[in-house]
């Protein structure tokens, strides 16, 4: 068995999901900003260097756009919230049937702040997702899916590989059109590019299908009964649905779904049962599965511990995680909430930096 | 190991394979040759069951592969017996890392993890890939991708390896690398290898036996020397052997060199070869040209002058900046420093219409230039777009491609015809500078001969031509000047004869045989022996 050198890909995604959950539970902009900082610090320090462009940068850009859009919408269409008026836009009177909507009017600091906070919450969730993408490629996660979901995982992997291929093909065809002095923009250009790109994509998928077939994809062992496989799949799907409903109830944090925690537990158990039923199918083997050890557990757990601390901080003192601009005041972060941010940084301790990973690979020196 | 027993196959109405009887012995390296469209790929795909299971079509007779009839064994079931590597290795990649790609087939076959681990290491070693094991597939060069694709099928420990044009996209060095890995497999592992190839000069020395398809459904099989003796498709080495009357024909440069003493003496006394034409005015020029893609510097200070009425060949490894240089000259890539100019103006500053009248560029995939559903429609739209009198393009196409059926779909034409059609369209506005990127890729000897004739005709008309190519025999035949690029820098620039004779990797076969004499082609030698300078 190989020794674990870096946390498992799935552990990174679990860590990120925990932090996204923590962000969804709070409306305190200071706490949100601290969580965002923690995510960025861990991601920048631990992203593999061979990535050409870190997905984090892309997601950060999208997050920023979301905040900006929310602010602009608040200024132009937003509800006219009371407070200290910054400036007043010329307003358009609305007919009586559209009473809820307003255009223009007075813009208050409080209204802007609440828009920014709302945007910030979404931005942190996006950052967490971007960090997960950068720290462990989604393909590595798909590789770890249980055998039952193998076909689905392959389809997603192929689609993920496909996107950059299509982009490259678009670029090639655009260049060729330039050479003949044909338009590359506008409707005529789009049509002229779309048709060959689709032809290209179709060609490619046929070739890929042939290659996968020739390399044994879709072989089924004779020994596994179809009935058992179906039972496993049904259990898995049912379990995921129950888990989804229960999980929603837990996240919503109110009495929307009665017994949400129990439902979530039941769903999880069903999912595990489904995976267990299918896991013994010996059709495929896995090459060098990444080992799971203390590092992975610590990494995954730290994200959820962070979320738990935010919840506990809220129970202890509701004002520490919820914040509203009425009346205008500085957001406060209690020690418990701050601890949640510190815990989110645990992966910095358990995941070795890039240089140490490289050294460990090259010379097989165990990383302490 | 493989037996074709009275095999017939067709997709549509005409038979691609007619009554084929062929046996491939265990541990043999068989090379399949033949003109474009003669059914090479179909024959190879049959060995893996991809034809007829993936392609459709009608199969009569049978193919027995390691005891399985392909009629009732789908490719999936043959995965552990036959490894198939297609023409474009990148299109067959399923995963994104070298190591995972190599393990993919074994995972599907359900091979024990411990065995799998060992076999991956073996495959990495056999294909000399161990340094690339953690790399992403998209970051690899053409030769490396080809080697990964071979390693990926090897790891599943097949008994038969089938390769379709494994060196088509590779520079001479990388091709050598792939072919020597294959010979190692045949000699050390005892694998049976069947491969198809257009560039006979590259593969013939490695072949145990050759199958020659004539394109009408007939075929000849036998020892390379015997099959080549009366084959219309022949590499320069064989042609030289025929000219000198050697029998049996030499298959390797080494054999030929040991026999060519008298010929060399006879040639040494002949008058020196005519010097290359200087050409006319400078048509295109680059000055300290640099170009980059993101952080990657593709061209680094290239100085070059292209004169009217000359053919300049640009050579170099895969990824050395050849295509980028052409793109800069064509004005579709902005230089990052220095400048490129055609006439007096940088081509990037020209309007689309002016650019088409000044520079003609045929990219690597010539078919990208063709859009219409019919050949005549293609010519008519080209006239319209280039502002030419109706019929100009059609005339230009006929001059180059010969008569093409006007109602054919351009995608249904052979590679050579597609190239000729694209070239005809590009040449219709009579540009002064013509750029060709890897024009001989996928062309058989016949199509290549007509390309050479077209290039010579253009040169006589005073057009300046720049060809980026891996094909040293093409360079030997037509080029006046040769430029060798490495890492975006010019490392050799001068007369073609001088440059390619002094660079062992790029020397054509005739030069290798007759060195230190600087003869490049069989045509030259034949003309000199007849007493008239070429």
């Amino acid at each position: 068995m190989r020794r674990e050198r870096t946390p498992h890909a799935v552990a990174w995604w679990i860590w990120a999901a925990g932090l996204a959950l923590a962000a969804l539970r709070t409306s305190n902009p200071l706490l949100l900003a601290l969580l965002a900082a923690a995510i960025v610090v861990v991601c920048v320090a631990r992203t593999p260097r061979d990535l050409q462009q870190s997905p984090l940068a892309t997601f950060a850009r999208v997050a920023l756009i979301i905040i900006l859009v929310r602010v602009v919408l608040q200024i132009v269409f937003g509800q006219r919230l009371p407070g200290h008026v910054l400036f007043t836009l010329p307003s358009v009177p609305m007919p009586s049937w559209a009473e809820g909507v307003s255009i223009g009017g007075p813009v208050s600091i409080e209204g802007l702040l609440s828009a920014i906070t709302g945007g910030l919450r979404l931005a942190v969730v996006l950052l967490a997702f971007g960090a997960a993408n950068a720290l462990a490629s989604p393909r590595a996660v798909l590789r770890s899916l249980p055998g039952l979901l193998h076909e689905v995982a392959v389809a997603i992997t192929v689609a993920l590989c496909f996107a950059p291929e299509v982009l490259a093909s678009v670029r090639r065809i655009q260049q060729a059109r330039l050479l003949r002095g044909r338009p590359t923009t506008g409707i005529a250009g789009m049509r002229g590019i779309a048709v060959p790109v689709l032809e290209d994509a179709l060609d490619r998928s046929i070739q890929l299908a042939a290659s996968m077939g020739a390399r044994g994809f879709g072989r089924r062992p004779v020994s596994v009964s179809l009935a058992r496989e179906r039972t496993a799949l049904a259990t898995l799907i049912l379990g995921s649905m129950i888990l989804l409903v229960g999980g929603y109830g837990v996240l919503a944090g109110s009495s929307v779904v009665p017994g949400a925690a129990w439902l979530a537990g039941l769903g999880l158990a069903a999912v595990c049962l489904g995976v267990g039923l299918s896991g013994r199918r010996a059709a495929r083997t896995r090459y060098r599965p990444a080992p799971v050890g203390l590092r992975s557990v610590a990494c995954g757990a730290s994200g959820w511990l962070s979320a738990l601390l935010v919840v506990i901080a809220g129970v202890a003192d509701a004002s520490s995680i919820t914040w509203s601009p009425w009346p205008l005041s500085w957001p406060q972060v209690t020690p418990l909430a701050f601890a949640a941010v510190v815990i989110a940084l645990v992966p910095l301790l358990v995941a070795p930096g890039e240089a140490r990973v490289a050294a460990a690979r090259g010379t097989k020196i165990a990383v302490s | 190991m493989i037996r074709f027993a009275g095999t017939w196959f067709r997709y549509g109405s005409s038979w691609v394979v007619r009554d084929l009887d062929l046996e491939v012995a265990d541990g043999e390296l068989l090379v399949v040759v033949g003109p474009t469209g003669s059914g090479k790929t179909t024959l190879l795909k049959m060995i893996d069951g991809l034809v007829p299971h993936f392609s459709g079509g009608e199969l009569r007779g049978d193919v027995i592969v390691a005891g399985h009839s392909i009629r009732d064994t789908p490719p999936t079931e043959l995965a552990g017996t036959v490894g198939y590597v297609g023409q474009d290795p990148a299109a067959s990649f399923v995963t994104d890392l070298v190591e995972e790609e190599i393990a993919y087939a074994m995972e599907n076959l359900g091979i024990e993890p411990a065995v799998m681990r060992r076999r991956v290491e073996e495959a990495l070693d056999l294909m000399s890939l161990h340094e690339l094991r953690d790399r992403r597939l998209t970051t690899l060069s053409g030769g490396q991708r080809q080697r990964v694709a071979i390693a990926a099928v090897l790891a599943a420990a097949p008994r038969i390896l089938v390769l379709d044009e494994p060196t088509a996209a590779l520079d001479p060095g990388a091709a050598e690398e792939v072919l020597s890995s294959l010979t190692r497999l045949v000699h050390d592992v005892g694998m049976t290898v069947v491969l198809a190839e257009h560039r006979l000069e590259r593969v013939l020395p490695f072949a145990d036996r050759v199958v020659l398809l004539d394109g009408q459904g007939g075929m000849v099989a036998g020892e390379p020397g015997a099959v080549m003796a009366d084959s219309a498709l022949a590499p320069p080495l064989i042609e030289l052997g025929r000219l000198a009357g050697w029998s049996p024909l030499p298959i390797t440069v080494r054999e030929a060199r040991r026999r060519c003493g008298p010929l060399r003496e006879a040639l040494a006394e002949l008058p020196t070869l005519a010097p290359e034409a200087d050409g006319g005015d400078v048509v295109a020029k680059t000055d300290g040209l640099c170009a980059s893609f993101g952080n990657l510097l593709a061209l680094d200070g290239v100085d070059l002058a292209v004169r009217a009425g000359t053919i300049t060949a640009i050579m170099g490894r895969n990824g050395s900046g050849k295509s980028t240089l052409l793109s800069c000259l064509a004005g579709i890539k902005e230089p990052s420093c220095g400048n490129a100019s055609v006439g007096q103006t940088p081509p990037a500053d020209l309007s689309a219409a002016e650019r088409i009248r000044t520079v003609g560029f045929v990219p690597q995939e010539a078919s990208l230039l063709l859009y219409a559903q019919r050949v005549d429609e293609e010519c008519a739209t080209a006239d319209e777009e280039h502002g030419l009198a109706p019929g100009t393009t059609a005339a230009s196409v006929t001059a180059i491609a010969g008569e093409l059926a006007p109602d054919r779909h351009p995608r249904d034409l052979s590679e050579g015809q597609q190239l000729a059609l694209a070239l005809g369209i590009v040449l219709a506005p009579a540009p002064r500078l013509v750029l060709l990127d890897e024009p001989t890729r996928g062309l058989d000897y016949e199509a290549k001969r007509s390309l050479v004739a077209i290039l010579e005709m253009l040169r006589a008309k005073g057009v300046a031509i720049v060809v980026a190519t891996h094909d040293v025999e093409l360079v030997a035949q037509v080029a006046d000047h040769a430029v060798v690029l490495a890492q975006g820098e010019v490392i050799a620039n001068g007369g073609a004869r001088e440059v390619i004779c002094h660079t062992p990797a790029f020397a054509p076969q005739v030069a290798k045989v007759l060195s230190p004499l600087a003869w490049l082609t069989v045509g030259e030698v034949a003309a000199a022996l007849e007493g008239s300078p070429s």
Side-chain angles (χ1 to χ4, degrees):
Chain A
M1 193 64 193
R2 274 193 302 162
R3 279 199 48 191
E4 182 193 31
R5 297 207 177 79
T6 55
H8 194 278
V10 175
W12 282 118
W13 282 70
I14 291 177
W15 169 78
L19 292 186
L21 182 63
L24 285 174
R25 296 290 314 195
T26 172
S27 59
N28 181 340
L30 191 56
L31 182 56
L32 284 171
L34 285 173
L35 280 173
I39 292 171
V40 171
V41 165
V42 171
C43 181
V44 168
R46 293 297 177 258
T47 299
R49 289 279 173 275
D50 66 336
L51 270 187
Q52 279 150 354
Q53 200 196 357
S54 170
L56 185 69
T58 319
F59 278 91
R61 232 168 279 149
V62 176
L64 211 61
I65 291 172
I66 285 179
I67 297 180
L68 281 177
V69 166
R70 278 193 80 129
V71 168
V72 170
L73 284 180
Q74 168 64 30
I75 291 174
V76 181
F77 301 108
Q79 266 185 306
R80 299 287 66 108
L81 298 169
H84 303 73
V85 174
L86 268 183
F87 53 86
T88 307
L89 287 178
S91 69
V92 181
M94 298 301 284
S96 58
W97 49 266
E99 228 166 283
V101 185
S102 63
I103 297 179
V107 176
S108 64
I109 298 183
E110 286 84 349
L112 280 186
L113 283 177
S114 95
I116 292 176
T117 309
L120 196 59
R121 190 164 2 153
L122 213 53
V124 175
V125 173
L126 273 174
L127 277 181
F129 191 63
N133 258 294
L135 289 162
S137 93
R139 290 185 195 113
V141 177
L142 288 169
R143 260 173 64 79
S144 318
L145 283 185
L148 193 59
L149 295 177
H150 171 66
E151 271 85 359
V152 181
V154 168
I156 301 176
T157 312
V158 166
L160 284 174
C161 296
F162 214 62
E165 295 283 351
V166 168
L167 274 185
S169 146
V170 167
R171 220 169 292 135
R172 255 193 351 262
I173 289 160
Q174 256 176 349
Q175 267 198 353
R177 286 180 74 83
L178 270 180
L179 288 175
R180 276 191 64 179
R182 298 204 168 196
T184 53
T185 51
I187 290 176
M190 292 284 272
R191 195 180 147 262
I193 291 171
V195 173
V197 166
L198 283 179
E199 278 177 346
D200 230 37
L202 201 65
D203 268 1
R204 239 167 218 294
S205 36
I206 292 170
Q207 279 187 51
L208 188 63
S211 149
M212 286 167 67
R215 285 159 70 193
F217 175 72
R219 262 159 91 108
R220 261 159 206 287
V222 220
S223 57
V224 173
S225 79
L226 205 61
R228 177 172 172 168
E229 201 169 299
R230 284 199 184 136
T231 317
L233 197 61
T235 319
L236 189 66
I237 292 174
L238 196 70
S240 327
M241 282 161 72
I242 298 174
L243 184 61
L244 207 68
V245 175
Y248 173 74
V250 171
L251 281 187
S254 59
S255 53
V256 189
V257 183
W262 289 107
L263 269 184
L266 183 68
L268 198 64
V271 167
C272 293
L273 182 69
V275 169
L277 271 178
S278 73
R280 264 160 264 155
R281 193 176 81 155
R284 278 176 51 84
T285 45
R286 201 163 284 162
Y287 174 69
R288 289 182 90 178
V292 176
L294 276 178
R295 288 171 196 278
S296 306
V297 172
C299 179
S302 68
W304 286 78
L305 191 59
S306 175
L308 190 68
L309 280 175
V310 168
V311 173
I312 293 173
V315 172
D317 175 9
S319 68
S320 70
I321 62 164
T322 52
W323 176 81
S324 107
W326 296 274
L328 216 48
S329 65
W330 270 109
Q332 303 292 325
V333 172
T334 59
L336 210 50
F338 190 71
V341 175
V342 175
I343 291 289
L345 293 171
V346 162
L348 283 181
L349 296 178
V350 298
E354 176 73 7
R356 301 177 71 190
V357 176
R361 258 186 201 152
T363 57
K364 287 265 173 188
I365 295 171
V367 176
S368 55
Chain B
M1 188 50 96
I2 307 166
R3 188 158 57 85
F4 289 84
T7 312
W8 294 67
F9 183 80
R10 65 174 172 191
Y11 295 104
S13 53
S14 64
W15 295 97
V16 188
V17 177
R18 274 166 196 269
D19 198 18
L20 181 69
D21 280 300
L22 179 68
E23 277 219 47
V24 186
D26 200 358
E28 190 173 17
L29 197 158
L30 181 79
V31 174
V32 182
V33 299
T36 316
S38 58
K40 295 192 296 294
T41 301
T42 305
L43 198 150
L44 295 190
K45 285 190 171 171
M46 272 185 185
I47 299 176
D48 198 18
L50 286 170
V51 168
H53 293 284
F54 261 89
S55 66
E58 186 189 346
L59 173 74
R60 289 188 196 162
D62 204 352
V63 184
I64 310 294
V65 179
H68 306 277
S69 151
I70 61 154
R71 283 187 162 277
D72 27 61
T73 322
T76 318
E77 297 300 319
L78 281 172
T81 317
V82 183
Y84 179 83
V85 182
Q87 268 175 19
D88 180 6
S92 68
F93 290 155
V94 184
T95 64
D96 64 338
L97 292 179
V98 171
E99 225 179 319
E100 286 173 15
E101 185 65 24
I102 294 177
Y104 178 77
M106 288 191 288
E107 289 185 330
N108 283 332
L109 297 176
I111 288 167
E112 286 296 310
V115 179
M116 194 146 56
R117 186 69 215 276
R118 206 181 59 229
R119 285 213 204 142
V120 167
E121 297 300 324
E122 283 167 7
L124 286 170
D125 278 343
L126 263 175
M127 288 290 127
S128 322
L129 286 166
H130 43 269
E131 278 167 17
L132 307 172
R133 63 187 309 158
D134 294 322
R135 288 271 292 276
R136 271 162 210 276
L137 292 167
T138 44
T139 63
L140 300 181
S141 75
Q144 291 168 338
R145 282 178 197 196
Q146 189 75 54
R147 270 155 49 208
V148 171
I150 297 175
V153 299
L154 272 186
R159 294 161 69 194
I160 302 166
L161 187 59
V162 180
L163 303 121
D164 198 353
E165 302 210 17
T167 72
L170 305 186
D171 60 68
E176 197 72 25
E177 206 175 296
V178 167
L179 288 169
S180 54
S181 314
L182 286 180
T183 2
R184 193 161 4 134
L185 284 179
V186 175
H187 287 257
D188 298 353
V189 189
M191 190 152 322
T192 310
V193 177
V194 180
L195 65 95
E197 186 61 68
H198 273 313
R199 294 194 195 166
L200 289 178
E201 65 269 17
R202 283 181 176 177
V203 294
L204 224 43
F206 301 98
D208 290 320
R209 226 154 46 108
V210 174
V211 170
L212 176 69
L213 303 173
D214 62 8
Q216 267 85 50
M219 78 127 213
V220 191
E223 300 274 310
V227 173
M228 284 297 127
D230 35 36
S231 150
L233 305 172
L237 188 61
I238 300 290
E239 286 180 355
L240 187 71
R242 283 184 197 159
L243 181 73
W246 292 328
S247 175
L249 287 169
I251 297 301
T252 63
V253 168
R254 188 161 162 268
E255 280 172 40
R257 270 193 77 83
R258 284 163 61 194
R259 269 200 242 153
C260 78
L263 178 67
R264 211 168 356 190
E265 274 162 34
L267 286 171
E269 285 164 19
L270 287 170
T272 47
L273 302 143
E276 288 100 4
D278 272 347
D281 310 331
V282 173
V283 173
K285 216 170 90 165
T286 66
D287 259 322
L289 181 69
C290 309
S292 52
F293 295 94
N295 295 329
L296 186 82
L297 197 59
L299 289 178
D300 191 3
V302 172
D303 298 313
L304 190 71
V306 182
R307 291 173 183 277
T310 61
I311 298 177
T312 306
I314 302 188
M315 297 192 288
R317 264 181 236 117
N318 290 78
S320 58
K322 300 188 294 296
S323 300
T324 314
L325 178 55
L326 293 194
S327 303
C328 287
L329 285 173
I332 52 174
K333 169 96 190 140
E334 288 271 359
S336 54
C337 69
N339 58 62
S341 56
V342 177
Q344 298 304 321
T345 35
D349 295 353
L350 296 173
S351 74
E354 281 175 313
R355 199 165 59 217
I356 286 157
R357 280 194 296 275
T358 323
V359 193
F361 181 18
V362 181
Q364 231 171 67
E365 290 165 82
S367 60
L368 284 181
L369 289 182
L370 311 172
Y371 310 98
Q373 311 293 317
R374 290 159 57 103
V375 170
D376 50 356
E377 199 185 314
E378 191 74 66
C379 295
T381 34
D383 280 339
E384 212 174 286
E385 281 170 359
H386 299 172
L388 299 167
T392 320
T393 305
S396 159
V397 168
T398 313
I400 283 167
E403 290 292 340
L404 294 176
D407 58 342
R408 287 285 293 277
H409 193 295
R411 284 212 173 216
D412 290 341
L413 299 171
S414 74
E415 301 244 8
Q417 287 171 321
Q418 282 184 357
L419 175 69
L421 177 59
L423 197 55
I425 292 171
V426 163
L427 289 173
R432 280 176 295 158
L433 175 66
V434 173
L435 313 169
L436 298 165
D437 195 355
E438 208 62 62
T440 57
R441 187 176 179 175
L443 295 192
D444 54 30
Y445 280 81
E446 195 51 47
K448 219 148 105 176
R449 248 193 297 266
S450 51
L451 176 72
V452 167
I454 295 168
L455 292 180
E456 280 170 347
M457 177 192 83
L458 289 174
R459 170 166 58 189
K461 279 195 200 160
V463 176
I465 302 167
V466 181
V467 185
T469 186
H470 290 318
D471 190 335
V472 291
E473 303 298 340
L474 176 80
V475 178
Q477 273 176 34
V478 297
D480 302 297
H481 299 285
V483 175
V484 182
L485 293 181
Q487 293 178 304
E489 290 170 51
V490 174
I491 56 163
N493 182 0
R497 190 176 303 279
E498 188 189 326
V499 169
I500 63 179
C501 285
H502 289 134
T503 322
F506 294 118
Q509 284 191 315
V510 174
K512 281 182 186 161
V513 173
L514 295 177
S515 96
L517 304 178
W519 299 82
L520 295 183
T521 63
V522 182
E524 273 177 5
V525 175
L529 287 177
E530 274 171 28
S532 58
S534 58

